[in-house]
Amino acid sequence: MHDTVDIPLALAWVREIAAAVEQQEGRLTELDSAIGDGDHGSNLRRGFTAVLAALDDLTPASVGAVLTRTGTTLISKVGGASGPLYGSAFRAMGAALPGERADRAEFAAALAAGLAAIRKLGAAEPGDKTVVDAWTPALAAFGQPDATLAAAASAAAEAAAQGVRDTVPLQARKGRASYLGPRSIGHPDPGAASTELLFQALARVTAASGPSGSPG
Amino acid sequence: MHDTVDIPLALAWVREIAAAVEQQEGRLTELDSAIGDGDHGSNLRRGFTAVLAALDDLTPASVGAVLTRTGTTLISKVGGASGPLYGSAFRAMGAALPGERADRAEFAAALAAGLAAIRKLGAAEPGDKTVVDAWTPALAAFGQPDATLAAAASAAAEAAAQGVRDTVPLQARKGRASYLGPRSIGHPDPGAASTELLFQALARVTAASGPSGSPG
Amino acid sequence: MKKLINTPDTVLADALAGFAAAHPELTVDLDNRVIVRGSRPAAPKVAVVSGGGSGHEPLHGGFVGPGMLDAACPGEVFTSPVPDQVLAAARAVDSGAGVLLVVKNYTGDVMNFGLAAELAAEEGIEVRTVLVDDDVAVEDSTWTAGRRGTGATVVVEKAVGALAGRGAGLAEVAALGERVNAASRSFAIALTAATVPAAGKPGFDLPEDEIEVGVGIHGEPGRRREALRPARELVAEVVDTILADHDLAAGDEVIALVNGLGGTPLLELYVVYGEVHARLAERGIRIARNLVGNYVTSLDMAGFSLTLTKADPDLLDLWDAPVTTAALTWS
Amino acid sequence: MKKLINTPDTVLADALAGFAAAHPELTVDLDNRVIVRGSRPAAPKVAVVSGGGSGHEPLHGGFVGPGMLDAACPGEVFTSPVPDQVLAAARAVDSGAGVLLVVKNYTGDVMNFGLAAELAAEEGIEVRTVLVDDDVAVEDSTWTAGRRGTGATVVVEKAVGALAGRGAGLAEVAALGERVNAASRSFAIALTAATVPAAGKPGFDLPEDEIEVGVGIHGEPGRRREALRPARELVAEVVDTILADHDLAAGDEVIALVNGLGGTPLLELYVVYGEVHARLAERGIRIARNLVGNYVTSLDMAGFSLTLTKADPDLLDLWDAPVTTAALTWS
Ligand SMILES: Nc1ncnc2c1ncn2[C@@H]1O[C@H](COP(=O)(O)OP(=O)(O)O)[C@@H](O)[C@H]1O
Ligand SMILES: Nc1ncnc2c1ncn2[C@@H]1O[C@H](COP(=O)(O)OP(=O)(O)O)[C@@H](O)[C@H]1O
Ligand SMILES: [Mg+2]
Ligand SMILES: [Mg+2]
Ligand SMILES: [Mg+2]
Ligand SMILES: [Mg+2]
């Protein structure tokens, strides 16, 4: 259990996301095939594979350095809608975390900055059936007072999962799925699903015992 | 029952072939799909549809005139391998029947001239898995001494049918089916099958009672 | 999935290597994934750069060369290129007269080209962007990401390439691009779904007797599913849908693009063109220029799109200007 | 069957009407089904006429124009044209210098063009025929109708068209055609079967993980069925099969045609070209010129063919000569 996010934990988080994306690539692509163009899984896998290599070359001086490098790499390697969106989100989180460690409140502020970056770039409102619909409830859940970091992350992951389910009845208004009009209804949003993976990964690494960086 | 082939009977024969081709188009094309290019049925239907129209415009002065016009029309309208082959066969039969009627022996000679034209143009030997493998036994059966015209035609049709069956185990050495090598084995030859239709039609119209030209 | 590829992950790299080998007259930067015209233009001129996801070949790489694009940036299959590629392209072709980015209107393309434009501007490269959004199957409303960019891209790229070649300034070339886009409408019908290599199976299942009407070029389903009908009826629907959204009147001239989506034989595209020609003639609209073939494809999707661009003498003059590229050449 | 057609019976007529509408620079005789170049050549010259079944577009109509064919005769789908068509074409383009018929080696084509040649000769038109038979998948023996004519047809037509344009006599042009054919070998692989409109269903069933090796361009199955493998391995097999039958040695140059069979995206053809280029480079063989795209198709069949023509300076010079047709244009 961790109560602050330090550099090893940030590294662990991103690596945990990469592992989850690798494992869930097929499912993300399948979701994107239904209402998009069938590349969300391969997009993120390509991106996070590059992120892993980039992090190996990095000696980060701050939590933010990890996340900034992650974001920059995603922008350089992913393309599509998710590359700039997630890339900008990580870069914004990185900019918000200049220190060697961040407490829960600071990390919450970083997550909020990430969401703001996504919304600024993509101009999506909640309910538009995008990543915003998972990130928004996750952020709200993470921010609950008095929770430990691990409890906050766990609550955020659950809220993100609910957010994904809540995208099912929505008609998309942003991204490719919007081209389908009412036919986008009845499917979860692939980007919301990958956002859930981000928060699940956060929950896992913050809950892990042992020294930061080696989540159990 | 007819014992000579007169002009109305010649017209009836060709029209009966046209009807049979129309009805069997799908089967001929299916046979050609298996070991050829899937057009034998539509080729012959297109040809004999044009033949029907051409015969409507014709006031034939001889049996041969009917068959020559049939052959010329097939050459002009069919294309592919079967157009020139059947077209030349009918033209050769036409050239062999200059009179207003032909007896069984004269008609047998015409059928032989038809086969010779096919073999001259296509250079196929019996056993090469072509129309020759139906026409050759049909001609032999037609030529049996002492048979009536109708009996000869009926025997020819049966021999043609057997000829088609005998093409099944053959490996094609001529036409498109030869490209398949040993994979052409196990299928009847489409052109042999359409030749069988020619002789079946002949058997039907010669067996028909009533005045020539209205087979029953 | 049946594809002539090595692995789904290497499709783009392998295809780009093949493209480079096949077109020694072009300069292909395999690391940055940028296709650049072979020789520098004689005098400084506005450079035209486009790009987008792969899977739409010959778009865009097939249109690089004198008279059309100065550079193209192919992204992964159905994935817009990354900003680095676009920046590398802009750097490679800017001769001081500025760079026009021709961008198809998709969220990813808009974002990635937008980021690249910012970076290029920071380096002192003057950049303008033309957004192509011609697909009338998508309503341009707050309910959508706006109309998709499809077949009109070819017409825009040809026109701006010609004008840039004549030495026009960046603002003028950009204005032309916007004008050509505004004069263009497209609509597409799919008979089969596309299979993205990484996905490994078709984007949607379509029964043997049904079609998707109003599809884009990324394998997504269309606006609705209908029964397959004779070409004449399908074309009537497509033409009428476009005309309902276009300001074309009897006596007008158009450039018409009957475009195959990748899996449709040319024989069928000519059947379609014949019907388009007849339908427009009934409306008094004359096709002044045409293209029939595979220009903006969607991998192996069977189907076609129709693009109609209202023509005027200036545009026809630019259209007729010489062009020498892998996929479009005339003199 | 999913096709953009009106009815199977009218496919050719409808497509030809569309082709005529799309190419006002050509003269299309819709009754006789003959496509003729638009303007008479300046001086009398050998006329080059080709044709064959439809379904192989752009072959042959797409190659009519200055520098290549003077006329083309499209037959019904996968059915050679009838003699009347060929005769009408010969009459339309003979300027007294004689007519060269470029005929792909199929029983039907040989017979129908042969009958037409007889008729034309009777009318006093001097006729020579070049038979194209480049497909090494077929053994040329008494067990077959001889090798099929496939991709090399494009190379032959380009070369003889260029030489005829330079005023060479009929015998010389015919000899060149024979020489180019003799220097060419092709081999094809199909991933899916073609569907003839009149047949209404695919010519053969192919499981999801199998391919047909050694197919022709008429939808017939190939020599054998194999498992689908990565492009690199398929290309290795195709190149090696051709080289085993060809007299190409290290240091030689070739014209290479990587040809799509109709349903394969250009992206994949470039993957294939990259592998061909690499495999030949390993053998010390240099590709001096290439074409990558759909040139000799088989309706909607997915797959590719490779054609290698041994090149020499004369042939490359003819290859580079200007050509202006619907499907092949350079200057
Ligand atoms: N404007 C937007 N704002 C926020 N998220 C968006 C926006 N547009 C698309 N997305 C997200 O991107 C996801 C698709 O990502 P991806 O498939 O990688 O890119 P692309 O759509 O370019 O193929 C969608 O499921 C959606 O969640
Ligand atoms: N050289 C030949 N001699 C005799 N018959 C032949 C020859 N070549 C082909 N055929 C016949 O033609 C038939 C095919 O006709 P069709 O399908 O109409 O023409 P194509 O093969 O040109 O598509 C074959 O089944 C065979 O019986
Ligand atoms: Mg996607
Ligand atoms: Mg056939
Ligand atoms: Mg995408
Ligand atoms: Mg045929």
Side-chain angles (χ1 to χ4, degrees), chain B residues 37 39 43 45 76 80 178 183, chain D residues 9 78-79 84 112 145 212 222:
Chain B
D37 59 351
D39 61 357
N43 282 348
R45 181 172 59 77
S76 296
S178 71
R183 291 176 80 181
Chain D
D9 280 356
F78 289 174
T79 303
D84 309 37
N112 285 283
E212 283 280 343

Side-chain angles (χ1 to χ4, degrees), chain C residues 1-2 23 208 210 275, chain D residues 1-2 6 208 210 270:
Chain C
M1 173 181 61
K2 282 187 160 173
H23 298 290
E208 182 55 29
E210 293 188 16
E275 300 299 341
Chain D
M1 174 180 61
K2 282 187 160 173
N6 288 314
E208 182 56 28
E210 293 189 17
Y270 276 116

Side-chain angles (χ1 to χ4, degrees), chain D residues 73-89:
Chain D
C73 316
E76 292 287 334
V77 173
F78 289 174
T79 303
S80 87
V82 297
D84 309 37
Q85 286 176 271
V86 181
L87 181 61

Side-chain angles (χ1 to χ4, degrees), chain B residues 5-19:
Chain B
V5 179
D6 57 8
I7 294 172
L9 188 67
L11 286 166
W13 179 37
V14 175
R15 292 197 173 111
E16 184 70 14
I17 298 170

